[in-house]
Amino acid sequence: MNPVYLYRTFRFILVIGAIVAGALALFYVSKVTYPFIIGFLIAFMMNPLVNFFESKAKMPRALAVLVALIMIISVFAGLITLLVVEIASGAEYLARVVPDHLVTLIDYIEHFFAAQIIPLYNQLAGLFQNLEAGQQDTIMDNIQNVGATIGTTAGNFIKNLFGNIPNIISWLPNAATVLIFSLLGTFFISKDWYRLSAMGNRIMPNRARTSSKTVFADLKKALFGFVKAQATLISITTVIILIGLLILRVDYAITIALVTGIVDIIPYLGTGAVFVPWIIYEAITGEMSTAIGLGILYVVVLVQRQVMEPKILSSSIGLDPLATLIALFVGFKTIGFLGLIVGPVVLVIFNTLQRANVFRDLWIFIKGKNEEIIK
């Protein structure tokens, strides 16, 4: 075999092995260090605020970090408190109206069974009696199999549901521990941010340092752009829902719009988790005008989300709209609704590595220094 090709093959295998080994090492290390990874991300995102306090307010770095953390925690606590108050107010309203609506729903179900199901059952029973014995046995066996399958599925679901309750309860102390360590990690990482950065620059080679700065800057821009894009999409959804509910004269429109906007964060389900059951209920109870109005509002929200999401993500993150749309679809088809988040993130990382010439440097390494590179 030509030594040049053998040499390139060895270098290619070396690069692939290093990437796989690095990914596995990162995966297993992150399983035991994820509170500090969370702390690093929080410190990274609040670093501009800390720098502002340090430079403009002339605060010591540690005090600036502490003030920034207190402000962020206070804002989140205030938003959660406001949300809880709004939900409690809405729950009080629902406690007054739901019993009457439930009685209406039960009456509708009873009327539906009496008018539709029972006559249909009598017709099917008459047809069943006219069948031969073998055909009756086959139908009964199929019905029993379906019933057994439904019973087994329901039993497993209930078993898993109650079986996971102890796991959820035991997760709470772990979540509190992770929160404490994440906040402590955020404080110390942010306080020593520039010292840690200087230490990393001394350890890394010059070539890797240059590439890493480009990657870090692009990822920083993409991260803040992604958060900005999601906040923009949620705000647009909330405003559209609020306007629509006010037009429909729905009670507690602000509470419903806020809750639905937050639910819109959930990929795939999104606002449908609120609108679909609501529309069905209004249709069943005979409020067809409200059901149609909610249906139109849901379609408007769904269409604007699908149209605006690729455009806003691409403009905020700096990606091509078509590439963003492909990343969203491929991510969803590959790993489900989480792919709607993972897809654009992977595209951002790939695009960042490409702009930092990481792939070009790897290709040069594989081909060797003495080979001519066509740029």
Side-chain angles (χ1 to χ4, degrees):
M1 180 182 289
N2 191 326
V4 174
Y5 292 109
L6 183 63
Y7 186 64
R8 291 177 178 175
T9 302
F10 172 74
R11 282 176 171 263
F12 178 76
I13 294 174
L14 181 64
V15 169
I16 296 299
I19 293 174
V20 173
L24 291 175
L26 180 63
F27 173 74
Y28 286 108
V29 169
S30 64
K31 290 178 67 174
V32 294
T33 61
Y34 64 91
F36 303 100
I37 296 175
I38 296 173
F40 172 79
L41 294 175
I42 297 175
F44 169 68
M45 296 184 67
M46 76 176 195
N47 194 51
L49 182 60
V50 175
N51 291 338
F52 174 80
F53 287 140
E54 188 179 15
S55 61
K56 301 298 183 181
K58 306 300 180 182
M59 292 182 181
R61 182 75 184 182
L63 180 59
V65 173
L66 184 61
V67 172
L69 270 176
I70 291 175
M71 284 186 61
I72 293 173
I73 293 174
S74 300
V75 169
F76 275 100
L79 291 175
I80 292 173
T81 302
L82 178 62
L83 180 62
V84 169
V85 170
E86 289 292 334
I87 291 176
S89 177
E92 182 182 357
Y93 167 75
L94 291 176
R96 294 197 307 267
V97 301
V98 164
D100 295 335
H101 290 175
L102 187 60
V103 171
T104 303
L105 181 62
I106 292 174
D107 291 340
Y108 174 82
I109 293 174
E110 291 177 351
H111 180 269
F112 179 77
F113 266 86
Q116 303 293 333
I117 303 299
I118 293 178
L120 179 62
Y121 171 78
N122 292 330
Q123 293 178 7
L124 293 176
L127 294 174
F128 181 78
Q129 296 297 330
N130 295 328
L131 296 176
E132 298 179 358
Q135 294 174 329
Q136 293 181 4
D137 293 337
T138 301
I139 293 175
M140 291 302 299
D141 290 339
N142 291 330
I143 292 174
Q144 290 175 358
N145 291 333
V146 171
T149 302
I150 294 175
T152 303
T153 304
N156 291 334
F157 174 77
I158 295 173
K159 179 180 177 181
N160 293 331
L161 178 63
F162 286 99
N164 287 327
I165 291 178
N167 296 331
I168 296 173
I169 295 175
S170 64
W171 176 80
L172 295 177
N174 180 65
T177 304
V178 170
L179 178 62
I180 293 173
F181 275 93
S182 296
L183 292 176
L184 290 175
T186 300
F187 177 79
F188 289 110
I189 291 172
S190 183
K191 183 176 73 70
D192 298 328
W193 181 266
Y194 293 104
R195 184 177 67 84
L196 295 174
S197 299
M199 185 186 302
N201 289 332
R202 289 196 300 268
I203 295 173
M204 297 176 64
N206 291 333
R207 188 67 176 271
R209 189 187 310 162
T210 303
S211 299
S212 64
K213 284 183 178 179
T214 304
V215 172
F216 189 78
D218 284 353
L219 288 179
K220 180 180 179 180
K221 177 183 176 183
L223 176 62
F224 283 101
F226 183 79
V227 173
K228 178 183 175 183
Q230 292 300 325
T232 302
L233 289 170
I234 293 171
S235 300
I236 293 173
T237 299
T238 303
V239 170
I240 291 175
I241 293 173
L242 178 59
I243 294 173
L245 294 181
L246 290 175
I247 293 174
L248 295 174
R249 301 182 181 277
V250 174
D251 294 328
Y252 291 91
I254 297 177
T255 302
I256 297 172
L258 289 174
V259 173
T260 310
I262 294 173
V263 172
D264 192 44
I265 298 175
I266 304 174
Y268 189 61
L269 289 178
T271 54
V274 175
F275 274 103
V276 173
W278 192 3
I279 293 170
I280 293 174
Y281 173 79
E282 295 293 343
I284 288 176
T285 55
E287 299 291 337
M288 292 305 300
S289 59
T290 305
I292 293 172
L294 291 174
I296 294 173
L297 178 59
Y298 177 54
V299 170
V300 170
V301 170
L302 197 62
V303 170
Q304 73 83 21
R305 178 78 182 196
Q306 299 302 318
V307 172
M308 296 295 292
E309 185 171 15
K311 184 177 180 180
I312 292 178
L313 281 176
S314 62
S315 61
S316 300
I317 302 177
L319 298 176
D320 182 74
L322 178 60
T324 306
L325 187 62
I326 293 173
L328 290 169
F329 182 78
V330 173
F332 173 71
K333 285 296 184 180
T334 304
I335 58 176
F337 64 83
L338 288 178
L340 297 176
I341 298 176
V342 175
V345 171
V346 172
L347 181 61
V348 166
I349 294 174
F350 182 85
N351 196 43
T352 301
L353 295 177
Q354 191 274 331
R355 283 202 297 266
N357 295 323
V358 173
F359 298 120
R360 189 194 66 179
D361 293 342
L362 289 176
W363 181 241
I364 291 175
F365 174 78
I366 292 172
K367 292 195 69 175
K369 294 182 180 180
N370 297 328
E371 298 293 329
E372 182 180 359
I373 305 299
I374 300 176
K375 296 183 181 179

